[in-house]
Amino acid sequence: MSRLFILKAYAKINLGLSVVGRRPDGYHDLESVMQQVSLSDTLLFEPASSQGCDFFCTDQRLSGPDNLVNRTASLLQQKAGKALPGVKITLFKNIPVEAGLAGGSADAAAALIGLDRYWDLKLSWKELLEIGAVLGSDIPFCLHGGTALAKGRGELLYSLPPLPFFWVVLAVPENVTMPTAAAYKGFDKTKMGNPSLEPLIKAIKQGDKKGLMEWLARGFTNTLETAMLPGSDSLQHIKARLKEFGFIPVLSGSGPTIFVLTENYRHAREAARVVEQESGRAYICWVTGDNRED
Ligand code: C5P
């Protein structure tokens, strides 16, 4: 078996997100339809002479021991309870950080798969999902991929049929980040009510593109948007400009990333241009299918 390989770690968007309750453990129960997209980080696994995990990230700020990739390696070593061969992991970062795209969770999910393979741990799919859930609420979905309804903290997954093909334009406002904990702390569901995801789930189950676009167009599809609304002028500007051009901008997860779905690549280019004119970063990607190995 080769000990030098690369894995991709894919970002996600939330097509809808409802915070349904506060939990005794400090987390929130949610219902969210999550969708994986093709924007990705890359992890390179290669042999290292010293034992343990030697981790390096192309974004210096993320190279520390707190990085989820490092924490994943430490947890697996601890569980193995024996010395494991040295591994060097290089994370080529591309997904925007603290942007509501689950970039860190995607890296952890790829680290879990990669280290299971590198160390020949033979973890079952169920074990991978359980370990993922310990490390972060979005990690099980990042392992699952495709389209799914997430409940509980986000770790209880119910597969949904794959979305029809859409281009996805991700718009990240300049100099705005939103740590997940801050979004959960700042949300106020009295402001917008809690969206019922039923129409969205029905549209996905029926492969109904029109129903999906109608869901997105209704506004307030994500309770956590109330945490972002007052805070960011640049986000509001980008949203308003995209609407002027006839697009349907939607906040992903805890934000601040806004996404637009479109069937037409020319429209995707147009949306990206609008975002860049408003000094935002734009990424054009597409919806992807699932990674599950039952
Ligand atoms: O699970 P994860 O480490 O990604 O969560 C980061 C923070 O987001 C948590 O510490 C918590 O404050 C908040 N959170 C929450 N409810 C969830 C998921 C996350 O309150 N379902």
Side-chain angles (χ1 to χ4, degrees), residues 10-221:
Y10 295 101
K12 66 95 183 108
I13 54 174
N14 301 71
L15 298 172
L17 192 155
S18 231
V19 179
V20 295
R22 199 180 287 269
R23 301 158 51 114
D25 61 7
Y27 282 78
H28 293 80
D29 276 320
L30 54 86
E31 287 180 8
S32 179
V33 174
M34 298 191 181
Q35 172 62 52
Q36 197 173 51
V37 296
S38 63
L39 179 71
S40 63
D41 292 339
T42 303
L43 283 81
L44 168 66
F45 297 78
E46 53 190 327
S49 44
S50 54
Q51 270 179 4
C53 177
D54 180 11
F55 172 67
F56 172 77
C57 179
T58 50
D59 182 335
Q60 277 294 325
R61 294 166 302 168
L62 305 177
S63 274
D66 281 348
N67 189 288
L68 270 169
V69 171
N70 250 329
R71 286 168 46 201
T72 303
S74 303
L75 185 59
L76 289 180
Q77 284 174 101
Q78 199 184 317
K79 278 189 176 293
K82 60 174 183 183
L84 294 165
V87 57
K88 179 174 179 198
I89 304 180
T90 307
L91 170 60
F92 297 88
K93 197 71 196 163
N94 186 36
I95 302 172
V97 178
E98 289 186 344
L101 295 168
S105 301
D107 299 337
L112 266 173
I113 304 266
L115 289 170
D116 177 52
R117 174 168 155 192
Y118 189 91
W119 284 328
D120 200 22
L121 300 173
K122 298 193 168 55
L123 294 167
S124 68
W125 189 241
K126 190 164 165 279
E127 285 171 314
L128 288 171
L129 290 171
E130 281 167 6
I131 297 170
V134 171
L135 288 159
S137 308
D138 285 343
I139 298 174
F141 174 75
C142 293
L143 287 163
H144 178 289
T147 313
L149 170 64
K151 292 190 180 186
R153 276 196 297 130
E155 84 288 14
L156 304 174
L157 297 174
Y158 304 86
S159 300
L160 289 169
L163 226 59
F165 183 86
F166 279 102
W167 295 101
V168 182
V169 182
L170 301 173
V172 187
E174 198 55 30
N175 300 324
V176 187
T177 56
M178 175 53 91
T180 314
Y184 276 98
K185 217 167 164 205
F187 87 96
D188 178 1
K189 77 178 167 194
T190 57
K191 276 202 186 136
M192 58 175 271
N194 227 1
S196 157
L197 303 186
E198 279 316 309
L200 169 63
I201 293 169
K202 187 170 163 212
I204 293 174
K205 284 187 173 163
Q206 295 179 346
D208 174 9
K209 288 186 182 181
K210 191 163 161 275
L212 174 63
M213 295 315 276
E214 277 169 8
W215 158 265
L216 296 174
R218 55 173 264 167
F220 297 123
T221 52

